[in-house]
Amino acid sequence: MKKRVVELFAGVGGFRVGLEKASEDFEFVWANQWEPSRKSQDAFNCYISHYGESEMHSNEDIESVDKSSIPRHDLLVGGFPCQDYSVARTKAEGIHGKKGVLWWSIYETIEQHEPPFVLLENVDRLLKSPSKQRGRDFGVMLACMDRLGYSVEWRIINAAEYGFPQKRRRTFIFAYKNDTEYAKDLRGKTLEEIVIKEGFFQQEFKASRKDGSDRIGEIEFESEDIPSLSESFKFQFWSSGVMRNGCVYTEELIPFPGDIEFKLLKDVLEKDVPEKYYLNGELDDWEYMKGSKRIERTHKEGHKYTFSEGAIAFPDPTSRPARTMLTSEFSKNRSTHIIKDPQTGRLRKLTPMECERLNGFPDDWTNTGMSERFRYFCMGNALVVGLVEKMGRQIANLK
Ligand SMILES: C[S@@+](CC[C@H](N)C(=O)[O-])C[C@H]1O[C@@H](n2cnc3c(N)ncnc32)[C@H](O)[C@@H]1O
């Protein structure tokens, strides 16, 4: 049965690439992508160069979109930033988060359309934010979903631990309406059983328990009064968990991918790479940037402090998965990958196509007229398509 999909924060379409690989039953009915404070909308242009210019593809600030104008859908997907999700108490009815915080656009879309399934992606830090009130932001998010009649499962997944060629740790959140067949099938299971055996992530991303682990937690909350939950909620969420009817079970699980093929950085490398990607007499700069250091600095309020950082392998070993790609991959900075090209034995940067391969996009996906700088930037923002593909195979069969 077809599932109509809406993609928010679409970027260059990572969710769409992954879901369309998983099944022909996903029918994209609307997508939105808007790069704040940039005149040229390169990611959106890339999206429409693959999927066509149409009124179904919106290039507006999602905050200004009337959510009732978004078509009805069965699955809402999106990768959105980790921001401050605190909720202020106001005299008006309803809950009001801060302007500019994109979670609230997702919330409004769900409230308006009540899609049976929601799949979201965020950084791993989401579960711990903010540092002064650990877990509050995710707690607010769970309470919002509970209020809207959803159960939520989550899992922090490092793509490299499931065979992909990049260490990219992200929180994936799968939510489903409590009246779906999927939710009904799980009704007889305990929350613990869902996390360790029966749940969504455990099917495609096998993970095991650690004997005697104390990294387990349970909590119950009321989602009636989200402003007061936002004021006081503090909780340690672990890498796996579930929330149903305001009850949470969470546990740190250890990835157990089984007997699968592991891809490495060397598996994505191009041959005959043009000269412009090679380092050119600036070795000392790179060695310094990548090396460990302790530097005395002066704080803007006047006091002195020591800034220190450890060494990063230089060059990056190609016999391992790559480190996480950041949006700054283009520029000369400590986290930019530098490899020893196996063909020439010389040091060089990764090419934009190699970066696309690290996320599992088709070759030249972003070669749609944007600058090279932006091609790297888009990949630093994107997700590992193969993870979504695995999730999509499951969602396609859910009712
Ligand atoms: C983490 S990225 C998602 C990338 C995407 N999953 C992909 O595969 O390319 C978040 C995206 O949200 C977009 N964005 C940020 N603020 C936005 C807003 N106010 N309205 C719409 N899109 C926004 C950014 O431009 C960025 O492309």
Side-chain angles (χ1 to χ4, degrees), residues 7-17 32-38 41 43-44 47 58-65 77-83 100-102 105 121-123 168 170 327 359 361 365-366 374 377-385 388:
E7 184 173 25
L8 300 183
F9 313 106
V12 296
F15 271 102
R16 187 158 182 173
V17 174
N32 172 272
Q33 161 57 32
W34 181 71
E35 185 64 41
S37 57
R38 272 194 107 238
Q41 292 290 318
F44 180 73
Y47 194 92
S58 138
N59 184 213
E60 301 154 86
D61 178 352
I62 190 65
E63 290 202 290
S64 65
V65 171
V77 297
F80 63 109
C82 175
Q83 294 171 303
V101 176
L102 300 173
S105 285
E121 182 236 17
N122 206 304
V123 292
R168 202 170 178 86
R170 289 290 183 267
T327 49
N359 277 334
F361 281 83
W365 185 257
T366 56
F374 217 72
F377 181 88
C378 285
M379 283 302 113
N381 251 342
L383 41 70
V384 172
V385 163
V388 175

Side-chain angles (χ1 to χ4, degrees), residues 37-293:
S37 57
R38 272 194 107 238
K39 194 156 170 267
S40 93
Q41 292 290 318
D42 291 312
F44 180 73
N45 291 339
C46 172
Y47 194 92
I48 59 172
S49 85
H50 293 290
Y51 299 118
E53 215 165 321
S54 100
E55 60 188 23
M56 287 151 57
H57 300 150
S58 138
N59 184 213
E60 301 154 86
D61 178 352
I62 190 65
E63 290 202 290
S64 65
V65 171
D66 169 7
K67 308 301 183 288
S68 68
S69 71
I70 299 176
R72 286 180 59 80
H73 50 281
D74 308 298
L75 170 65
L76 178 72
V77 297
F80 63 109
C82 175
Q83 294 171 303
D84 176 339
Y85 300 160
S86 62
V87 183
R89 196 177 291 283
T90 60
K91 290 204 183 91
E93 280 293 301
I95 54 175
H96 295 272
K98 294 193 179 100
K99 202 168 156 28
V101 176
L102 300 173
W103 161 247
W104 300 108
S105 285
I106 298 178
Y107 178 81
E108 285 163 28
T109 309
I110 299 173
E111 188 177 34
Q112 178 76 42
H113 295 284
E114 304 189 338
F117 302 106
V118 179
L119 180 63
L120 304 170
E121 182 236 17
N122 206 304
V123 292
D124 55 356
R125 173 177 94 247
L126 168 70
L127 301 188
K128 294 190 175 152
S129 296
S131 54
K132 291 203 175 108
Q133 195 186 336
R134 290 265 180 225
R136 179 205 61 200
D137 288 340
F138 194 56
V140 167
M141 209 169 158
L142 292 180
C144 286
M145 294 307 288
D146 183 50
R147 192 184 161 117
L148 297 176
Y150 287 77
S151 298
V152 179
E153 296 180 38
W154 72 88
R155 179 70 73 83
I156 294 181
I157 299 174
N158 180 348
E161 289 175 328
Y162 289 92
F164 297 94
Q166 184 190 178
K167 295 177 194 159
R168 202 170 178 86
R169 259 170 73 86
R170 289 290 183 267
T171 310
F172 284 90
I173 299 158
F174 179 60
Y176 39 95
K177 274 226 96 179
N178 290 328
D179 59 6
T180 55
E181 290 303 315
Y182 178 64
K184 288 181 194 158
D185 286 349
L186 288 174
R187 242 173 232 170
K189 310 287 176 197
T190 65
L191 298 185
E192 184 177 344
E193 282 169 333
I194 293 175
V195 171
I196 60 161
K197 191 155 170 246
E198 310 285 347
F200 178 74
F201 292 105
Q202 193 64 344
Q203 310 313 311
E204 289 272 353
F205 301 95
K206 292 260 179 292
S208 51
R209 312 184 90 162
K210 194 169 170 200
D211 284 346
S213 170
D214 56 359
R215 297 182 158 202
I216 292 178
E218 286 177 273
I219 192 169
E220 264 182 63
F221 58 75
E222 292 286 339
S223 56
E224 308 292 284
D225 185 359
I226 295 187
S228 82
L229 179 136
S230 167
E231 256 170 49
S232 59
F233 188 90
K234 230 177 163 181
F235 183 63
Q236 167 83 61
F237 290 103
W238 299 105
S239 65
S240 293
V242 61
M243 182 283 301
R244 182 171 66 189
N245 299 327
C247 299
V248 170
Y249 179 88
T250 179
E251 180 167 347
E252 189 77 10
L253 297 184
I254 305 158
F256 183 69
D259 192 12
I260 58 166
E261 189 196 347
F262 282 83
K263 289 256 163 56
L264 307 169
L265 177 50
K266 67 178 175 204
D267 298 322
V268 307
L269 300 183
E270 286 190 74
K271 291 221 165 67
D272 305 324
V273 169
E275 191 55 35
K276 67 175 178 179
Y277 297 104
Y278 282 89
L279 305 194
N280 179 7
E282 59 223 284
L283 201 59
D284 289 354
D285 296 358
W286 286 104
E287 273 173 351
Y288 175 76
M289 277 189 295
K290 302 261 184 186
S292 72
K293 46 189 102 54

